[in-house]
C-alpha cells in the first residue's frame, strides 16, 4: 500500500541558544504557576518579555498554518501572554490545601480519577466512523467553555481527586491556545495531577509537538486506521497520511514511548491491515490499539462491520505466533500483548463484545461544558450553565457527585450494541474521543 513505511522526520535546524531559551522558559513557567496570582502574573509577563523565541522553531515550514497556533515570534509572544491569562484564572495553587470535600465515587464503588476534556468540536479530518458525511452542526462559540472556565473546572476536578487529564476533540491541535492550555494544566501538578495526555489525529502534530512537550504534555495517542494512503483518503476524506507518519516519527524522537496508535477496525475496510500494524509494533516502541467499531449518532454503525477483538486476537496469534499477555493497570481499557524481543505491543479494546465497565474511572467534559459519566449514555449535565449562573465550587462538585450517583453499572444501562445504536447521543466528534 502507499505510505505504509516509516518516514524520517526532517525538522528545521534549531540553534542551541533557541533550544536553551525554550526549555528555560518552560521551566520558569512551571515554577511561577505555584505563586499567588499577582506574583504569578507579574513573573509570567516578565517571562514573555525575556523568553519568547518562536515556539515552533523545531519544525519546518515556519510554524503552523490555518487552524494551528501562531507562526511568528509575535504569535509566540501572544501565546505566552495567553498562558499568563490562563494561569491567573486558575487561582492560587496551595501546596498544603486539603482536597475539596466531594466524592468521585459512584454507587458501584468506582472512583473516577481520569478526566477527558474536549477542547473543541472542530476537526481537520472527516472520518467516516466519527462524523457524518455532511459534517456536524457546531455549537455557537458563545456556548463553548472559555479557556478560563475550562481551567476552573480542571482545577476543581484535580482538587477533588482526578490525577489524569486527557485532552481530546474534535481535534485538539486546531485550537490556537493549545500549548498555553497545556502549560496552565501543568501548574495543577502540586494539587495532585500526575499526567497530561492528548489524543490527536496527528495531522498538525509534528510542528506543534516541541511547544507541547515543553509545556508539559506527558503522553500521546494518535488515531491511525490505515497505513495505505488511498484508504486513508477514503476513511478521512483528507489526503494527510504523510503528515501523520511524520508525527509518529516526531513523537518517538521526543521520547513519547510507548506511543499509542488507536486503530478502529471495521470489517471490509481495514481488518486485513492488522498484520501490517503488528509488524510496526514489533519494530518500534509503539502500542497499536485495535478498537472495536462503536455506534454513535450518524456514523453508519452496523454489527456487520464489527470485528470482535477475540477474532482479531485469534487470527493474529495464528499468523504471528508467540503473543504473550502483558500486565497492565487495573483501569486500562485494553488487553495488551507482545512478542519476545519486540519493541512494542498490540492491544485490544473490546468495548462492544467484552465491556470493561467494571473498572471504569472516566469522566468526560465536552467542549460546551457538559459532563458525561458514560460514553454511550445520552444523559448529560451542563457545568457551563451552572458556572454562568454563579454556582460555587462546592455546588459544581455536588452536581458531579449527583451525576455519578446515577451512573449505570454498564453501557448506560443499555443491553446491547443495537440498543446503543438506537439511543440518541452525539456524534463522536462533539463528545470528545
Amino acid at each position: 500500500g502507499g505510505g505504509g513505511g516509516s518516514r524520517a522526520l526532517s525538522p528545521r535546524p534549531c540553534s542551541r541558544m533557541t533550544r536553551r531559551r525554550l526549555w528555560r522558559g518552560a521551566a520558569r513557567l512551571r515554577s511561577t504557576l505555584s505563586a499567588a496570582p499577582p506574583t504569578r502574573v507579574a513573573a509570567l509577563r516578565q517571562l514573555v518579555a525575556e523568553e519568547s523565541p518562536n515556539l515552533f522553531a523545531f519544525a519546518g515550514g515556519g510554524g503552523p498554518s490555518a487552524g494551528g497556533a501562531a507562526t511568528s515570534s509575535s504569535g509566540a509572544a501572544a501565546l505566552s501572554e495567553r498562558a499568563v491569562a490562563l494561569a491567573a484564572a486558575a487561582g492560587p495553587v496551595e501546596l498544603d490545601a486539603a482536597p475539596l470535600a466531594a466524592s468521585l465515587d459512584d454507587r458501584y464503588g468506582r472512583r473516577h480519577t481520569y478526566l477527558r476534556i474536549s477542547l473543541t468540536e472542530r476537526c481537520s479530518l472527516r472520518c467516516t466512523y466519527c462524523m457524518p458525511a455532511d459534517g456536524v452542526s457546531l455549537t455557537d462559540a458563545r456556548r463553548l467553555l472559555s479557556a478560563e472556565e475550562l481551567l476552573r473546572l480542571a482545577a476543581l476536578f484535580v482538587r477533588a481527586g482526578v490525577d489524569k487529564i486527557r485532552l481530546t476533540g474534535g481535534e485538539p491541535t486546531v485550537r490556537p491556545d493549545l500549548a498555553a492550555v497545556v502549560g496552565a494544566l501543568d501548574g495543577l501538578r502540586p494539587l495532585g495531577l500526575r499526567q497530561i495526555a492528548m489524543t490527536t489525529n496527528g495531522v498538525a502534530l509534528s510542528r506543534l509537538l516541541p511547544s507541547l512537550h515543553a509545556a508539559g504534555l506527558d503522553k500521546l495517542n494518535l488515531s491511525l486506521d490505515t497505513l495505505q494512503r488511498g484508504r486513508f483518503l477514503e476513511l478521512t476524506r483528507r489526503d494527510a497520511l504523510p503528515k501523520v507518519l511524520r508525527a509518529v516519527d516526531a513523537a518517538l524522537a521526543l521520547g513519547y514511548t510507548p506511543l499509542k496508535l488507536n486503530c478502529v477496525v471495521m470489517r471490509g475496510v481495514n481488518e486485513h491491515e492488522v498484520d501490517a500494524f503488528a509488524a510496526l509494533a514489533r519494530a518500534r516502541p509503539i502500542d497499536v490499539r485495535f478498537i472495536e467499531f462503536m455506534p454513535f449518532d450518524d456514523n453508519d454503525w452496523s454489527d456487520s462491520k464489527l470485528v470482535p477483538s477475540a477474532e482479531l486476537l485469534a487470527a493474529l496469534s495464528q499468523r504471528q505466533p508467540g503473543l504473550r499477555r502483558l500486565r497492565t493497570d487495573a483501569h486500562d481499557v485494553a488487553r495488551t500483548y507482545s512478542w519476545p524481543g519486540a519493541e512494542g505491543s498490540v492491544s485490544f479494546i473490546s468495548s462492544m463484545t467484552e465491556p470493561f465497565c467494571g473498572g471504569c474511572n472516566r469522566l468526560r467534559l465536552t467542549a460546551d461544558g457538559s459532563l458525561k459519566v458514560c460514553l454511550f449514555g445520552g444523559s448529560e449535565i451542563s457545568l457551563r450553565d451552572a458556572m454562568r449562573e454563579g454556582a460555587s465550587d462546592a455546588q459544581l462538585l455536588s452536581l458531579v457527585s449527583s451525576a455519578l450517583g446515577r451512573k449505570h453499572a454498564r453501557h448506560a444501562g443499555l443491553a446491547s450494541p443495537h440498543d446503543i445504536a438506537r439511543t440518541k447521543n452525539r456524534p463522536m466528534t462533539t463528545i470528545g474521543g
Side-chain angles (χ1 to χ4, degrees):
S6 170
R7 304 200 177 186
L9 177 69
S10 300
R12 172 182 293 179
C14 176
S15 72
R16 187 172 300 174
M17 179 172 294
T18 298
R19 193 185 306 248
R20 283 201 301 266
R21 291 179 68 197
L22 178 58
W23 285 101
R24 188 168 69 240
R28 290 180 60 188
L29 173 61
R30 293 190 183 95
S31 66
T32 55
L33 282 169
S34 61
T39 303
R40 182 167 26 168
V41 170
L44 281 166
R45 285 207 168 97
Q46 183 180 359
L47 184 153
V48 169
E50 297 176 2
E51 308 287 349
S52 295
N54 186 343
L55 294 178
F56 310 102
F58 290 136
S65 59
T71 60
S72 63
S73 58
S74 62
L79 187 63
S80 298
E81 185 64 20
R82 184 64 170 152
V84 172
L86 294 183
V93 175
E94 301 173 14
L95 297 179
D96 57 350
L100 296 179
S103 173
L104 294 182
D105 293 356
D106 65 14
R107 53 184 166 165
Y108 301 100
R110 296 172 295 198
R111 178 157 296 174
H112 296 72
T113 58
Y114 179 10
L115 177 64
R116 299 171 71 93
I117 301 176
S118 176
L119 294 181
T120 179
E121 296 176 348
R122 298 181 181 275
C123 188
S124 51
L125 299 179
R126 296 291 183 271
C127 297
T128 56
Y129 59 84
C130 183
M131 186 182 294
D134 55 354
V136 296
S137 297
L138 298 174
T139 303
D140 185 282
R142 293 168 295 182
R143 296 185 60 78
L144 298 175
L145 287 179
S146 69
E148 290 76 16
E149 289 171 329
L150 185 154
L151 263 297
R152 177 189 173 187
L153 290 174
L156 193 62
F157 276 104
V158 171
R159 292 181 67 188
V162 163
D163 59 15
K164 177 180 177 180
I165 289 177
R166 178 173 295 277
L167 302 176
T168 68
E171 170 50 39
T173 60
V174 306
R175 184 164 171 145
D177 62 349
L178 176 59
V181 169
V182 172
L185 290 174
D186 193 64
L188 300 179
R189 295 188 193 272
L191 294 178
L193 182 63
R194 294 188 301 105
Q195 187 180 113
I196 303 170
M198 184 174 75
T199 298
T200 171
N201 62 32
V203 172
L205 185 64
S206 61
R207 63 180 180 248
L208 299 177
L209 195 52
S211 62
L212 297 174
H213 186 268
L217 185 67
D218 299 308
K219 298 287 185 180
L220 267 175
N221 287 41
L222 268 70
S223 299
L224 182 60
D225 304 309
T226 178
L227 297 172
Q228 298 181 17
R229 189 167 183 173
R231 184 166 292 111
F232 187 97
L233 175 59
E234 292 175 5
L235 282 171
T236 68
R237 307 182 180 106
R238 299 290 186 272
D239 184 18
L241 180 61
K243 294 180 180 179
V244 179
L245 295 178
R246 285 196 293 271
V248 170
D249 290 338
L252 293 176
L254 274 176
Y256 286 100
T257 57
L259 177 65
K260 294 182 178 180
L261 296 186
N262 294 342
C263 177
V264 177
V265 182
M266 292 164 283
R267 195 179 303 280
V269 178
N270 63 344
E271 81 275 18
H272 58 282
E273 291 193 61
V274 167
D275 285 285
F277 275 108
L280 185 65
R282 297 182 78 155
R284 308 186 76 179
I286 291 172
D287 178 31
V288 178
R289 295 155 68 88
F290 298 117
I291 303 172
E292 291 181 343
F293 185 30
M294 296 176 283
F296 296 99
D297 281 14
D298 302 318
N299 76 339
D300 196 29
W301 182 89
S302 71
D303 56 4
S304 64
K305 295 181 181 178
L306 173 64
V307 184
S309 292
E311 177 184 324
L312 283 180
L313 176 59
L316 185 60
S317 297
Q318 184 176 20
R319 294 192 299 263
Q320 299 192 32
L323 271 177
R324 299 176 182 175
R325 179 85 181 263
L326 302 182
R327 180 174 297 179
T328 55
D329 183 86
H331 296 296
D332 201 328
V333 300
R335 290 169 294 134
T336 301
Y337 298 78
S338 190
W339 299 265
E343 288 290 313
S345 56
V346 291
S347 295
F348 300 86
I349 299 179
S350 314
S351 307
M352 297 291 95
T353 61
E354 299 176 68
F356 35 80
C357 303
C360 181
N361 67 338
R362 299 178 174 205
L363 296 167
R364 283 179 165 82
L365 183 65
T366 65
D368 60 359
S370 290
L371 178 72
K372 290 180 73 73
V373 297
C374 178
L375 175 62
F376 299 114
S379 299
E380 302 176 353
I381 187 167
S382 178
L383 300 181
R384 175 206 64 206
D385 287 353
M387 279 192 296
R388 294 181 184 180
E389 291 167 4
S392 66
D393 286 356
Q395 290 169 327
L396 290 172
L397 285 171
S398 179
L399 291 174
V400 173
S401 183
S402 296
L404 282 171
R406 297 188 294 272
K407 183 171 180 175
H408 290 273
R410 169 174 162 172
H411 281 180
L414 301 168
S416 72
H418 293 281
D419 292 329
I420 295 173
R422 285 190 292 264
T423 300
K424 182 65 177 174
N425 196 349
R426 296 185 183 215
M428 189 61 172
T429 189
T430 64
I431 294 176

